[in-house]
Amino acid sequence: MAEYSIVSFFTIFTEMIEIKKASHADIPLINKLGNIAFTDTYLSILTQEQITYMLDWMYSQENLAKQIKDGHVYYIGYSDGTPFGYLSVQRENDTTF
């Protein structure tokens, strides 16, 4: 079970967390966040060449624009106005994303 101090409890509840639907104007930000997250996550198990390939494949600005055109919806998380992450969903059918 996680333990929280009074300080961390108040820190959690004093931050303003927002999740906003991304637009085409946010593609450079999604690209930047994707590069940071993917590199930090996989650098210990993939080569830099593999990471570069995957980033170009999944997070290039051109591919992000195509994903949005094809129905992916991106959301960006902000903490006190600073972006900290993103997520993407795509409808598969009437009941599944």
Side-chain angles (χ1 to χ4, degrees), residues 24 29 35 68 76 78:
H24 280 273
L29 176 57
N35 276 271
I68 290 171
I76 301 173
Y78 295 85

Side-chain angles (χ1 to χ4, degrees), residues 37-47 51:
F38 195 90
T39 301
D40 286 352
T41 302
Y42 295 106
L43 189 57
S44 65
I45 61 172
L46 296 176
T47 66
I51 289 172

Side-chain angles (χ1 to χ4, degrees), residues 27-94:
I27 287 174
L29 176 57
I30 297 166
N31 170 268
K32 180 179 177 180
L33 293 170
N35 276 271
I36 292 168
F38 195 90
T39 301
D40 286 352
T41 302
Y42 295 106
L43 189 57
S44 65
I45 61 172
L46 296 176
T47 66
Q48 186 59 54
E49 292 79 22
Q50 291 171 310
I51 289 172
T52 300
Y53 172 81
M54 296 298 286
L55 289 172
D56 287 343
W57 175 52
M58 297 187 314
Y59 294 107
S60 71
Q61 292 188 33
E62 296 80 16
N63 282 335
L64 290 168
K66 182 180 182 317
Q67 290 173 36
I68 290 171
K69 180 182 176 207
D70 291 344
H72 286 262
V73 179
Y74 280 86
Y75 294 89
I76 301 173
Y78 295 85
S79 175
D80 290 330
T82 302
F84 65 82
Y86 64 94
L87 66 95
S88 168
V89 295
Q90 180 180 26
R91 182 179 289 280
E92 296 293 326
N93 57 48
D94 288 343

